[in-house]
């Protein structure tokens, strides 16, 4: 609404470009010159806000359980270059510990928050694998032949506490009839 009875010749401001360093209230000077060269100025407040969420870039990962049947991850494992022009303040995930019950594909949410409180998220797949072989513990046994001169055994006869952190699914032996 700037005006002059003889006409306005020029309008100018002292600051016209803003960036992340200008978030919040900024005082600028507004200048006007009329057609006869008379000038006036006043201050104005320009409030700069960041409403752009971070750009979330993630990657699916595969994680092996340890000897105790456990695994853990951090946001860093999933993050694949998440960024924001004003800066990323934090990254979090909704699931960070896994056990034998999680073997296979698991959906994990990754969240990023920028320095101005804007957030975005993405889903990733964390595939949990069990690569640790069972610990086989056996015992020697003596088997007596029956009246037909034969004997048979089953795996449980020689098993002496075979175990696995995720459980033993089955045991077999290569020779069971004598």
């Amino acid at each position: 609404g700037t005006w002059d009875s003889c006409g306005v010749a020029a309008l100018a401001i002292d600051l016209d470009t803003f960036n992340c360093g200008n978030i919040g209230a900024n005082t600028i000077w507004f200048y006007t010159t009329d057609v006869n060269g008379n000038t006036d100025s006043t201050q104005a407040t320009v409030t700069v806000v960041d409403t752009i969420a971070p750009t979330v870039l993630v990657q699916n990962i595969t994680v092996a359980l340890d000897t105790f049947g456990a695994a853990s991850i951090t946001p860093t494992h999933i993050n694949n270059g998440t960024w924001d022009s004003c800066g990323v303040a934090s990254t979090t995930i909704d699931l960070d510990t896994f056990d034998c019950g999680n073997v296979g594909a698991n959906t994990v949410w990754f969240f990023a928050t920028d320095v101005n409180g804007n957030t975005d998220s993405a889903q990733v797949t964390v595939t949990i694998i069990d690569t640790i072989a069972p610990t086989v513990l056996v015992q020697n046994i003596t088997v007596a032949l029956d009246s037909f001169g034969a004997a048979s055994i089953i795996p449980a006869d020689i098993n002496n506490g075979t175990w696995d952190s995720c459980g033993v699914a089955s045991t077999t032996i290569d020779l069971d009839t004598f």
Side-chain angles (χ1 to χ4, degrees):
T2 299
W3 66 276
D4 184 88
S5 58
C6 294
V8 175
L11 301 173
I13 53 178
D14 69 339
L15 182 61
D16 63 358
T17 304
F18 302 91
N19 61 35
C20 296
N22 301 109
I23 299 294
N26 297 272
T27 301
I28 65 166
W29 281 97
F30 176 80
Y31 305 96
T32 185
T33 305
D34 70 12
V35 294
N36 296 308
N38 299 307
T39 63
D40 194 12
S41 63
T42 189
Q43 289 183 327
T45 300
V46 174
T47 302
V48 177
V49 295
D50 173 15
T51 60
I52 308 295
T55 299
V56 173
L57 301 172
V58 292
Q59 61 188 347
N60 297 328
I61 61 172
T62 298
V63 179
L65 295 172
D66 62 18
T67 57
F68 301 104
S72 63
I73 61 171
T74 65
T76 305
H77 294 110
I78 296 171
N79 191 356
N80 196 27
T82 296
W83 66 279
D84 184 86
S85 58
C86 290
V88 174
S90 66
T91 58
T92 59
I93 52 179
D94 70 338
L95 181 60
D96 61 2
T97 57
F98 304 89
D99 59 26
C100 297
N102 300 111
V103 170
N106 298 272
T107 300
V108 175
W109 279 95
F110 176 92
F111 303 93
T113 303
D114 72 14
V115 296
N116 294 303
N118 301 299
T119 62
D120 200 5
S121 60
Q123 283 184 349
V124 297
T125 299
V126 175
T127 302
I128 301 299
I129 58 175
D130 176 11
T131 59
I132 307 293
T135 301
V136 176
L137 300 172
V138 295
Q139 60 189 347
N140 296 327
I141 62 171
T142 301
V143 178
L145 298 175
D146 63 18
S147 60
F148 299 104
S152 64
I153 62 170
I154 60 173
D157 293 331
I158 63 170
N159 187 5
N160 194 26
T162 298
W163 67 276
D164 185 88
S165 58
C166 289
V168 176
S170 65
T171 57
T172 60
I173 53 178
D174 66 342
L175 182 59
D176 61 0
T177 305
F178 305 91

